[in-house]
Amino acid sequence: MNGRFKASGGAVGGGLLVAGTTSDAGKSVVTAGICRWLARQGVRVAPFKAQNMSLNSFVTREGAEIGRAQAMQAAAARVEPTALMNPVLLKPGSDRSSQVVLLGKAVGELSARGYHAGRQEQLLGTVTDCLQELRRTYDAVICEGAGSPAEINLRRTDIVNMGLARAARIPVMVVGDIDRGGVFASFFGTTALLSKEDQALVAGYLVNKFRGDVTLLEPGLEMLRGLTGRQTLGVLPFSHGLGIDEEDGLRVSLRGAVRESVVAPPHGAEVLRVAVAAVPLMSNFTDVDALAAEPGVVVRFVDRAEELADADLVVLPGTRGTVRALEWLRERGLADAVVRRAAEGRPVLGICGGFQMLGERIEDDIESKAGTVDGLGLLPVRVRFAAEKTLARPVGEALGEPVAGYEIHHGVAEVTGGDEAFMSDGQGRSLDGCRAGSVWGTHWHGSLESDGFRRAFLRRVAADAGRAFVPAPDTSFATLREEQLDRLGDLIEEHADTAALLRLIEEGAPEGLPFVPPGAP
């Protein structure tokens, strides 16, 4: 199994594109599961997504920004993430425009029309070069598509679905979420809307989130094979709490799984309630996954002021639109509620954009171009947006514990006071953030994944909130994350036709796959 794969075109690693009948069909999860299954077989495997639209991003060791889903897929593959794995990242700033991150660096803002009108097509060479480099380095590359390959209005400029598959000559497996209903029609319709040349690479289907007796599904799978000439490569059962870091959406990917898998009661006498403000353009909401991993910590997203009343900790998360999120907090009365609770000595944590909102003022001529805007005034911080984005993987100390994180922000914070440094270098010199009373702020995403620091912080929160909560002494977020990735690998190993998957990855799509009319219009 650990011999080098050979694709049909020569001395490059094998490949597979995991497409989906819809967005959120399970492409990210299936890609991660295949990566973990292959890695456990001794195969050197890497993930790849040519173009990703997401507000959840990560910083690689070389200082490149990529989608968090690809970083987690790299963890599933047991390799270090790099910019090659996600060469194009689009970070929405509104319904019609996005920041374009190319090979890990922001290169400007583009409207959706401007991107699809020419810029996207120009990037095909870049993404195929990145994929080729990965295939030269690894035995196999498992690519994730985006949306649906049958988005016929966008096919001409497609670089992430069939456009990529055609350019790289890699086979395609289409994933369908049966829990939504209509999965057979979705498989058939997706195939039938593709051109003859595209259809030649669609090698099979994978059913996701099936509940019940799989034998009841088999007649439909046989009929689907008769209609399309393509086999179903597996039926994955519905499993609560499965997930890796999401591209977007109001979900905490690991929270559900940890909440369901942890059977131990709260370690102390009481639970700790955490309310996360669901701000517009929320980014890296995965920061609170580590809080939800703690037995006795209940995390929920809120968008109304009254929902903060029983919260022991309020979190203002990161956002792609700090000024817009601040306006939203004020419009909904959440800003006043946060200010009141701070005055009462009740804990508040701001992360990245949330940290900036807690400051005295924001000077933004870059992101919102709103000029100078008053912050909530809860931290002695002044923020000025810089044209250059800060991308870093800092390490330090906080509350007497080692801590690591990653930074992705245009805002530069000037801390003018506070009760203590938040993130320091261990010698008392501040690296980032500050605390004033019960209000805390930092630019460091992912810091709560540091177990010792997270426990120390929760002890402070519980004391300030007057709760008899005690963090469990042995919760390891890294271990829980590894268990999740192993569960994804188990799903593939136990419920997919792994022999057929290996053939596709090594040999490509079989010759002579039938054309399903009518084809692309």
Side-chain angles (χ1 to χ4, degrees):
M1 290 293 293
N2 46 12
R4 185 171 179 83
F5 289 150
K6 299 293 182 183
S8 57
V12 294
L16 176 70
L17 175 67
V18 179
T21 57
T22 62
S23 295
D24 202 31
K27 298 184 292 292
S28 296
V29 167
V30 169
T31 300
I34 294 174
C35 284
R36 176 48 58 101
W37 161 65
L38 286 172
R40 292 195 306 209
Q41 311 308 309
V43 176
R44 294 180 302 138
V45 58
F48 179 78
K49 186 160 185 174
Q51 172 192 293
N52 195 353
M53 178 171 281
S54 179
L55 289 170
N56 288 329
S57 57
F58 182 75
V59 179
T60 67
R61 283 185 178 170
E62 71 266 31
E65 184 180 7
I66 65 172
R68 271 199 69 98
Q70 279 61 65
M72 191 60 76
Q73 288 162 356
R78 296 176 175 152
V79 297
E80 188 66 29
T82 73
L84 291 174
M85 297 173 184
N86 180 205
V88 182
L89 173 64
L90 305 178
K91 304 191 74 174
S94 71
D95 291 340
R96 297 190 175 186
S97 68
S98 295
Q99 182 182 69
V100 180
V101 179
L102 180 60
L103 293 174
K105 302 298 180 184
V107 294
E109 297 272 341
L110 271 181
S111 68
R113 180 180 293 275
Y115 185 66
H116 289 288
R119 178 59 168 163
Q120 184 181 35
E121 201 170 9
Q122 296 168 9
L123 294 173
L124 180 60
T126 299
V127 301
T128 54
D129 286 348
C130 290
L131 176 56
Q132 187 76 352
E133 180 63 26
L134 289 174
R135 294 180 74 186
R136 281 194 291 263
T137 306
Y138 292 91
D139 298 335
V141 179
I142 309 303
C143 308
E144 179 187 344
S148 163
E151 291 170 351
I152 54 180
N153 57 315
L154 303 177
R155 176 60 184 91
R156 182 181 63 81
T157 58
D158 171 47
I159 63 171
V160 66
N161 292 307
M162 300 313 300
L164 177 71
R166 286 268 297 277
R169 301 304 301 170
I170 54 175
V172 178
M173 178 178 70
V174 181
V175 178
D177 180 355
I178 197 170
D179 198 48
R180 295 182 175 192
V183 73
F184 292 116
S186 297
F187 284 144
F188 181 85
T190 296
T191 308
L193 278 175
L194 300 178
S195 69
K196 183 177 181 179
E197 294 78 11
D198 285 354
Q199 286 191 27
L201 292 174
V202 176
Y205 310 112
L206 186 82
V207 177
N208 192 27
K209 298 184 184 177
F210 179 71
R211 305 172 190 253
D213 184 351
V214 73
T215 62
L216 298 177
L217 192 65
E218 288 172 352
L221 301 180
E222 283 302 312
M223 285 186 276
L224 180 67
R225 183 164 188 167
L227 288 167
T228 67
R230 291 154 175 86
Q231 70 178 108
T232 297
L233 299 163
V235 178
L236 306 187
F238 187 97
S239 183
H240 289 282
L242 276 181
I244 59 173
D245 290 5
E246 305 283 355
E247 289 185 354
D248 273 312
L250 195 56
R251 289 178 299 276
V252 183
S253 61
L254 193 53
R255 178 183 60 175
V258 171
R259 184 57 61 236
E260 290 160 5
S261 63
V262 172
V263 295
H267 197 68
E270 294 183 291
V271 301
L272 205 65
R273 295 173 176 83
V274 179
V276 185
V279 299
L281 298 174
M282 181 167 51
S283 62
N284 291 73
F285 54 82
T286 47
D287 283 331
V288 297
D289 280 0
L291 292 178
E294 288 286 348
V297 175
V298 179
V299 178
R300 67 183 190 273
F301 288 99
V302 304
D303 60 5
R304 296 181 297 178
E306 56 268 28
E307 293 178 296
L308 303 187
D310 66 343
D312 302 306
L313 170 66
V314 168
V315 178
L316 300 185
T319 171
R320 170 81 163 85
T322 301
V323 170
R324 177 178 168 185
L326 190 54
E327 292 172 351
W328 181 87
L329 291 176
R330 287 175 169 139
E331 290 167 359
R332 289 179 167 260
L334 285 159
D336 289 340
V338 170
V339 170
R340 283 196 302 272
R341 69 177 289 121
E344 296 165 0
R346 303 172 67 195
V348 177
L349 170 65
I351 303 173
C352 199
F355 170 40
Q356 296 166 9
M357 288 186 273
L358 292 171
E360 296 168 350
R361 73 170 188 237
I362 299 168
E363 297 178 19
D364 180 12
D365 295 317
I366 303 296
E367 189 174 78
S368 68
K369 298 180 172 57
T372 301
V373 176
D374 289 335
L376 297 180
L378 300 179
L379 288 176
V381 175
R382 297 170 183 172
V383 176
R384 176 184 54 80
F385 274 62
E388 189 75 17
K389 186 185 291 190
T390 296
L391 298 170
R393 289 271 295 270
V395 295
E397 180 181 288
L399 302 180
E401 298 284 348
V403 62
Y406 57 99
E407 295 183 69
I408 307 169
H409 54 92
H410 283 281
V412 178
E414 177 191 1
V415 178
T416 60
D419 298 327
E420 63 180 278
F422 197 178
M423 308 299 180
S424 71
D425 63 0
Q427 306 297 320
R429 292 184 290 270
S430 177
L431 295 177
D432 182 80
C434 67
R435 177 183 73 86
S438 60
V439 180
W440 306 74
T442 177
H443 274 127
W444 291 18
H445 294 292
S447 59
L448 292 166
E449 296 178 17
S450 299
D451 297 326
F453 162 66
R454 182 180 65 254
R455 288 192 277 268
F457 177 69
L458 289 176
R459 283 192 289 269
R460 294 283 289 267
V461 167
D464 288 346
R467 292 285 186 190
F469 168 84
V470 179
D474 55 356
T475 301
S476 168
F477 185 77
T479 298
L480 290 168
R481 182 164 50 191
E482 276 297 297
E483 289 173 357
Q484 283 299 92
L485 295 173
D486 275 330
R487 288 182 67 197
L488 298 181
D490 292 343
L491 274 181
I492 298 299
E493 186 169 344
E494 296 168 11
H495 300 283
D497 186 340
T498 53
L501 279 177
L502 279 176
R503 283 196 300 273
L504 281 181
I505 294 168
E506 291 183 284
E507 301 171 11
E511 295 291 333
L513 289 169
F515 172 69
V516 180

